[in-house]
Amino acid sequence: MLGDPDWRVRDRVASKRRCPPELLERLADDPHDAVRRLVAGHPHSPRSAVARLVDDRWPVIAQEARARLANWPSSQASEPC
């Protein structure tokens, strides 16, 4: 699933509403921009995964990750990176 060569399979995994944070953490390093963008905006993405995307090579992803971190709920601010 996560190692599937077809990016659309990985995209589907990342788009699932109940995708576990552990999978989103691994998908943050996906080679396909669409998958990383889903991780940047997914409500279950761990802070550490979103933080890795702030310098993404695709500006849209980097911007979304920066905005998400700036608005990270304070109850999750102490989540370990």
Side-chain angles (χ1 to χ4, degrees):
M1 189 172 38
L2 294 183
D4 196 294
D6 187 344
W7 70 270
R8 292 169 292 197
V9 172
R10 301 186 310 273
D11 185 79
R12 266 194 110 141
V13 170
S15 69
K16 296 290 183 186
R17 192 173 137 248
R18 296 172 85 70
C19 187
E22 302 81 36
L23 294 182
L24 292 163
E25 181 78 48
R26 292 174 54 197
L27 288 168
D29 297 320
D30 196 88
H32 201 279
D33 296 340
V35 177
R36 294 192 315 278
R37 185 168 188 196
L38 283 169
V39 173
H42 199 288
H44 294 148
S45 286
R47 189 177 195 282
S48 57
V50 176
R52 287 201 323 269
L53 296 170
V54 298
D55 293 322
D56 195 88
R57 65 182 174 268
W58 196 31
V60 173
I61 296 172
Q63 181 180 11
E64 187 166 348
R66 285 192 295 271
R68 181 107 188 278
L69 286 179
N71 296 308
W72 201 266
S74 58
S75 63
Q76 296 178 2
S78 61
E79 183 180 319
C81 291

